[in-house]
Amino acid sequence: MRLAIPEVVVLRLPEYLRALEQLAGEGVYLVSSQELGEKLQVTPAQIRKDLSYFGHFGKQGKGYDVKRLIGELRRILGLDRDWRLAVVGVGNLGRALLRYGGFSQQGFKIVAAFDTNPKVTGKKVGPVVVQDVAEMPKVVKSEGVHIGVVSVPASAAQEAVDRLVQAGVRAILNYAPATLRVPPSVYIRHVGPVSALESMTFYLKDVKG
Amino acid sequence: MRLAIPEVVVLRLPEYLRALEQLAGEGVYLVSSQELGEKLQVTPAQIRKDLSYFGHFGKQGKGYDVKRLIGELRRILGLDRDWRLAVVGVGNLGRALLRYGGFSQQGFKIVAAFDTNPKVTGKKVGPVVVQDVAEMPKVVKSEGVHIGVVSVPASAAQEAVDRLVQAGVRAILNYAPATLRVPPSVYIRHVGPVSALESMTFYLKDVKG
DNA sequence: GCGATTCTGTTAGCATTATCACAGGATTGT
DNA sequence: ACAATCCTGTGATAATGCTAACAGAATCGC
């Protein structure tokens, strides 16, 4: 029962969490699946079903305690602890990620950055000093890196993930526009500014303009 | 038949496209659904089924012509033309998007940037001069903006999308960690550096470390 | 206190998506 | 030319995910 939770459900949880955090910020203490569904454009039944995979968080006749549910979702998603990130590739995009402050709010902490270019290694960017990739195995271990963020050019992406995997990183977020191979034990996900746009245009293309 | 294409299918097409572009770069001219599936960790049947929604692109006994399929997918996704973007919010993240060069390769062109802060309006960032949001209705029309990119703080995000919608933008990419309301005719999607991490940690949390 | 109302958690039925398996066309080797 | 092999496109089937509907529990108004 507790096992085999559909991935789509897991993908919706952060959306619920965001909406709840917004409500909490507005001073809302209680919310029904109906109200939350309207805010998120999701059916109330879906919200209740999704949450039922993990426990009983609501009160009949009242709804959900917003703060409590935020706490539960954060726990379920593993956001009730710190996660240590390493950024590989300090180009335009890597630099932006390093300087972006929004990670810390959800417990993500950048603890290392790597590059091969001697023009950037040794320099401080955002919260860390950029190190040569040769240092990766040592630093990943000493800094306890959980997640690797790949922001190198597509042509260097496979080598970057190979090095990360070799160094012991089990989860990778890939910003490079490339299809990458990792062992089954490693969790990898592709993101990036362009990806979201590419499927969006499918729905736009028929409209005039 | 041609209508009612599942959204999951549309979301996979960019992945296929990326893999094919990589193959083309390696000098591969022909690929079977089997080979492509191995590269993408997807079953060959899924690839064939997905493509069959849009036409017959393969040759029995041979497979798919890589270049031809790239062209077809780009056409299907609406990537065979230019798309004009406007960035709203020139903070840390907005600045990075403006300076990021990777959009142009797939036909995305940033043609405007807006902010309310007089410290940044009037200054050139990346390819454009930042303008005050008051100019938005005029500029969206004159520059023919198709897609709005919201990179303001969460607290200002709803106002930013309202202004974009008001100005006539029908598609929005939201980087702000907020749940936003738009009319049904507007297509909006939430992305952002933290979102992908938030569901990733669900799968990581049980592992030691 | 009690009937009417509210709202959750869950089951059962429905709809959508993915996989299997094969017919049929194309290619290759001999 | 023909047999063996390869590979697509697609119906049939299995699996998955969604929605509607309701029992049961809490709340509210009077």
Side-chain angles (χ1 to χ4, degrees), chain B residues 15-206:
Chain B
E15 296 176 45
Y16 299 168
L17 179 58
R18 237 193 333 274
L20 288 163
E21 283 172 341
Q22 200 163 335
L23 288 171
E26 293 164 6
V28 177
Y29 286 94
L30 217 54
V31 69
S32 68
S33 58
Q34 173 77 40
E35 292 163 332
L36 193 58
E38 275 166 22
K39 192 171 170 67
L40 284 160
Q41 308 279 54
V42 167
T43 66
Q46 175 125 82
I47 293 173
R48 293 200 302 273
K49 193 92 198 264
D50 285 352
L51 295 177
S52 77
Y53 282 101
F54 304 100
H56 305 203
F57 307 124
K59 274 208 164 64
Q60 285 154 330
K62 289 191 78 180
Y64 298 89
D65 180 292
V66 174
K67 287 206 173 151
R68 155 119 194 273
L69 192 50
I70 287 173
E72 296 285 359
L73 284 175
R74 292 183 57 84
R75 181 184 55 75
I76 291 163
L77 287 168
L79 298 172
D80 56 346
R81 48 164 286 182
D82 274 10
W83 292 96
R84 301 168 75 80
L85 313 184
V87 173
V88 185
V90 185
N92 241 317
L93 190 56
R95 208 179 304 271
L97 291 168
L98 288 167
R99 287 183 180 147
Y100 176 62
F103 288 113
S104 55
Q105 197 158 6
Q106 294 291 349
F108 296 102
K109 196 174 170 189
I110 298 176
V111 297
F114 302 100
D115 205 303
T116 49
N117 185 348
K119 285 229 167 94
V120 293
T121 56
K123 299 228 167 66
K124 182 159 186 177
V125 181
V128 294
V129 173
V130 182
Q131 303 182 69
D132 192 274
V133 287
E135 307 293 320
M136 204 189 283
K138 195 183 71 191
V139 176
V140 162
K141 187 170 266 183
S142 69
E143 289 291 345
V145 171
H146 302 111
I147 302 172
V149 180
V150 173
S151 50
V152 300
S155 57
Q158 186 61 60
E159 197 194 327
V161 302
D162 289 348
R163 280 177 184 272
L164 280 167
V165 170
Q166 186 62 31
V169 174
R170 312 283 295 257
I172 292 169
L173 198 61
N174 172 39
Y175 278 88
T179 303
L180 305 172
R181 274 294 224 164
V182 293
S185 62
V186 176
Y187 190 89
I188 189 167
R189 189 173 296 180
H190 182 271
V191 290
V194 185
S195 309
L197 289 168
E198 283 174 341
S199 48
M200 202 173 207
T201 51
F202 174 84
Y203 296 101
L204 266 48
K205 68 176 197 297
D206 296 323

Side-chain angles (χ1 to χ4, degrees), chain A residues 11-20 40 42, chain B residues 179 198:
Chain A
L11 290 173
R12 277 193 294 266
L13 297 185
E15 295 177 46
Y16 299 169
L17 179 57
R18 236 190 337 270
L20 288 163
L40 284 161
V42 166
Chain B
T179 303
E198 283 174 341

